[in-house]
Amino acid sequence: MSAERVLILDFGSQVTQLIARRVREAGVYCEIHPFSVSEERIRDYAPKAIILSGSPASVTEENGPRAPELVFTMGVPVLGICYGQQTMCHQLGGAVSGSDHREFGRAFIEVKKTCALFDGLWEVGTREQVWMSHGDRVTALPEGFEAVAISEGAPFAAIADDARQFYGVQFHPEVVHTPHGAQLLANFVHRVAGLKGDWTMAAFKQQAIERIRAQVGDGKVICGLSGGVDSSVAAVLIHEAIGDQLTCIFVDTGLMRAGEADEVVTLFRDHYNIPLVHREAADLFLGKLAGVSDPEQKRKIIGGLFIDVFDEESHKVGGAQFLAQGTLYPDVIESVSFTGGPSVTIKSHHNVGGLPERMNLKLVEPLRELFKDEVRALGRELGLPEPFIRRHPFPGPGLAIRVPGEITPEKLDILRKADTVYLEEIRAAGLYDAIWQAFAVLLPVRTVGVMGDGRTYEHVLALRAVTSTDGMTADWYHFPHEFLARVSNRIVNEVRGVNRVVYDITSKPPGTIEWE
């Protein structure tokens, strides 16, 4: 995608994707590949710099993961993070051992010497907060290296070989808990590697259009619209590339939020004039889901039925050779383990049931190099309406997994009304854009309540809201009590069938973006 590329070798850290996010925020294109990637693939990729990630493994293990030897002979700058620092030292002639003094969580480093990695950022004597997560530690440096920072538990918290442009840090600069970590990574790609940082979404858009045209030629493409941002941005991008060679198929499962199906149809037919097949299949989906309570069984039913309906409609279109999907970069990364083995199916809500071989279509995935927030930036570049771009993520199974237990039209009606009130209040408070995802869940619980002069026996509704920048880590949103009181009061008064509202305050560790 760019002549100035950084390669990130993944040794299995749960926050490797955050390294890529920080590098791209610095305007430099990068990709994550497993540490076991072949040397031929590395040469073909032609990176201008390489970053080695952390890992749950130990360098002291006999069969622990190692970086390809080519990494240290290519003549490009290398930065090792945590395990990456350790395997760099081990492979270049230093020593690593286990320690009784482990460091997990917030720590402080003291800068002892200057180096190119710290240039313009930290001076000698600086005491800086960082985030540590290690048991092993470097105990002897390879020839050419010197310690440039120390911590209480790591005598080599940061090391440098300015001559070869090799650097290592025991802490994690990619996480927000290291306040100046993003600047450190920017230093590495800009000051050390000399990269300009000119990778922009405008450039990506033009390159993607050219690639789509080259791949598709004069062929026909069908795109499965989910109603979400990812598939919509993919569809608009492809339409800009090949025009009416694209036909979108929107399967309305009856499991979307209030008014969303109409919004999708209006946006694509009226605003963009993109050929659109709208299949209303709510009765079919709800009929198949009747009496089903198990959440995984629901997913399988919805995924399988969606593919069947989509396949049926695609045959009516006729002549298509390509299937477009809104697959994102986290979907791709999570489909390959850090040992290099591919999973059976891409972990994406755009591909819930897998792609049937009988469809015999080639995939067009123009967003597979992008993170979620980058897709939104591309949507703006393509001119999609801002309210649509900012809309909170919505999983493929939709409201089916926000109704634990059996799904009925009555429960879906209750949930839609409550969800609408919740989002109305969030928007009225000016909080919608501060929240990554907010939604209501109709719990499989009923409680006795007193409303006016009568007793009620109605549903309990849970509200959830989380903050995130990229959907890989998140925390619950801290609403003021006054807000929660106002929302709860409105829902109980306006949504018949609910007499109690609770707020869920669980957080989410790194992983996929689907919450339910």
Side-chain angles (χ1 to χ4, degrees):
M1 296 304 303
S2 170
E4 293 190 335
R5 296 188 287 264
V6 171
L7 173 64
I8 300 169
L9 291 182
D10 181 20
F11 291 86
S13 168
Q14 62 179 347
V15 291
T16 299
Q17 291 186 35
L18 295 181
I19 302 174
R21 287 301 305 118
R22 302 294 90 84
V23 171
R24 291 193 183 184
E25 286 167 4
V28 176
Y29 183 74
C30 64
E31 289 184 11
I32 299 172
H33 290 269
F35 74 89
S36 55
V37 65
S38 69
E39 293 193 351
E40 180 183 9
R41 179 71 186 91
I42 294 175
R43 289 192 184 93
D44 289 343
Y45 184 73
K48 300 296 185 182
I50 297 173
I51 299 177
L52 311 179
S53 84
S55 174
S58 171
V59 173
T60 61
E61 297 172 359
E62 183 177 350
N63 296 317
R66 301 288 185 264
E69 291 300 326
L70 178 65
V71 166
F72 306 113
T73 60
M74 286 189 74
V76 301
V78 181
L79 172 64
I81 295 175
C82 197
Y83 182 93
Q85 181 209 46
Q86 295 169 7
T87 195
M88 174 191 288
C89 288
H90 177 80
Q91 292 180 241
L92 294 178
V96 178
S97 66
S99 170
D100 292 333
H101 195 141
R102 300 178 298 172
E103 286 184 302
F104 292 95
R106 185 179 292 105
F108 291 88
I109 62 169
E110 182 181 350
V111 176
K112 292 295 187 180
K113 294 184 179 180
T114 60
C115 68
L117 188 64
F118 295 166
D119 188 22
L121 180 63
W122 295 331
E123 298 178 350
V124 173
T126 298
R127 189 169 184 266
E128 185 70 21
Q129 177 184 312
V130 297
W131 189 261
M132 294 282 193
S133 181
H134 68 97
D136 296 348
R137 64 179 183 179
V138 176
T139 54
L141 293 179
E143 185 178 350
F145 282 87
E146 60 180 355
V148 292
I150 64 172
S151 73
E152 184 177 343
F156 304 111
I159 60 175
D161 181 340
D162 278 328
R164 288 185 290 180
Q165 294 185 302
F166 290 171
Y167 303 90
V169 293
Q170 186 59 72
F171 55 90
H172 287 270
E174 67 272 30
V175 301
V176 295
H177 307 84
T178 299
H180 293 105
Q183 293 167 268
L184 185 76
L185 288 168
N187 252 15
F188 176 68
V189 297
H190 293 316
R191 292 177 180 265
V192 175
L195 306 184
K196 292 177 292 199
D198 56 0
W199 187 70
T200 66
M201 200 47 63
F204 176 90
K205 170 189 165 184
Q206 192 54 46
Q207 292 167 349
I209 287 173
E210 292 170 2
R211 288 198 302 174
I212 292 167
R213 289 171 178 165
Q215 179 185 4
V216 172
D218 59 359
K220 290 185 177 180
V221 180
I222 54 174
C223 176
L225 282 181
S226 68
V229 175
D230 305 338
S231 61
S232 298
V233 170
V236 173
L237 176 65
I238 293 169
H239 185 257
E240 187 157 328
I242 61 174
D244 288 350
Q245 291 172 242
L246 169 71
T247 297
C248 292
I249 299 176
F250 173 45
V251 179
D252 186 351
T253 64
L255 299 169
M256 298 184 72
R257 292 173 288 204
E260 285 191 334
D262 292 338
E263 289 178 16
V264 172
V265 174
T266 299
L267 178 66
F268 282 84
R269 282 187 178 161
D270 299 344
H271 186 79
Y272 282 104
N273 197 29
I274 296 176
L276 174 68
V277 174
H278 178 202
R279 171 68 182 273
E280 298 185 48
D283 291 342
L284 177 62
F285 277 81
L286 293 181
K288 291 288 187 181
L289 290 168
V292 179
S293 298
D294 180 76
E296 287 307 310
Q297 191 177 354
K298 287 181 190 177
R299 287 177 180 270
K300 290 178 181 178
I301 290 172
I302 295 167
L305 191 56
F306 180 92
I307 291 295
D308 290 341
V309 174
F310 184 85
D311 191 22
E312 180 183 329
E313 295 298 327
S314 68
H315 279 90
K316 295 178 184 177
V317 174
Q321 297 92 41
F322 297 90
L323 171 66
Q325 288 191 160
T327 305
L328 303 190
Y329 197 40
D331 303 329
V332 177
I333 296 168
E334 291 163 10
S335 298
V336 181
S337 69
F338 77 94
T339 56
S343 69
V344 176
T345 303
I346 284 181
K347 298 176 181 177
S348 167
H349 60 278
H350 303 286
N351 193 18
V352 177
L355 181 65
E357 292 183 5
R358 68 176 185 270
M359 292 185 71
N360 195 31
L361 298 173
K362 301 174 185 176
L363 286 178
V364 179
E365 298 173 306
L367 310 181
R368 63 182 287 118
E369 289 95 359
L370 299 184
F371 289 93
K372 186 78 174 184
D373 51 327
E374 293 173 326
V375 172
R376 289 192 170 120
L378 177 59
R380 292 185 180 95
E381 195 71 35
L382 290 164
L384 269 80
E386 189 64 26
F388 187 88
I389 292 172
R390 298 199 312 264
R391 193 158 67 183
H392 292 171
F394 192 62
L399 299 181
I401 48 176
R402 294 178 182 175
V403 180
E406 182 182 2
I407 299 170
T408 66
E410 175 196 15
K411 290 181 180 179
L412 290 174
D413 185 55
I414 292 172
L415 183 56
R416 283 195 183 94
K417 290 177 179 176
D419 198 63
T420 298
V421 170
Y422 185 31
L423 294 178
E424 282 178 358
E425 288 294 333
I426 287 175
R427 288 190 175 95
L431 300 174
Y432 189 84
D433 292 338
I435 296 171
W436 170 263
Q437 190 181 44
F439 55 87
V441 176
L442 193 66
L443 300 179
V445 177
R446 291 174 183 258
T447 62
V448 175
V450 177
M451 300 179 70
D453 296 324
R455 288 187 177 275
T456 61
Y457 182 59
E458 295 178 333
H459 291 279
V460 177
L461 187 88
L463 302 179
R464 194 172 203 187
V466 296
T467 58
S468 179
T469 56
D470 44 33
M472 291 181 286
T473 59
D475 197 5
W476 61 282
Y477 188 80
H478 296 240
F479 283 120
H481 289 293
E482 295 79 7
F483 174 88
L484 293 174
R486 184 168 61 252
V487 171
S488 301
N489 188 60
R490 275 198 64 188
I491 290 174
V492 170
N493 284 333
E494 299 177 26
V495 182
R496 186 175 294 275
V498 176
N499 68 1
R500 193 175 302 275
V501 177
V502 298
Y503 184 55
D504 180 0
I505 61 171
T506 53
S507 300
K508 183 175 186 296
T512 57
I513 64 172
E514 264 192 57
W515 274 83
E516 297 79 8

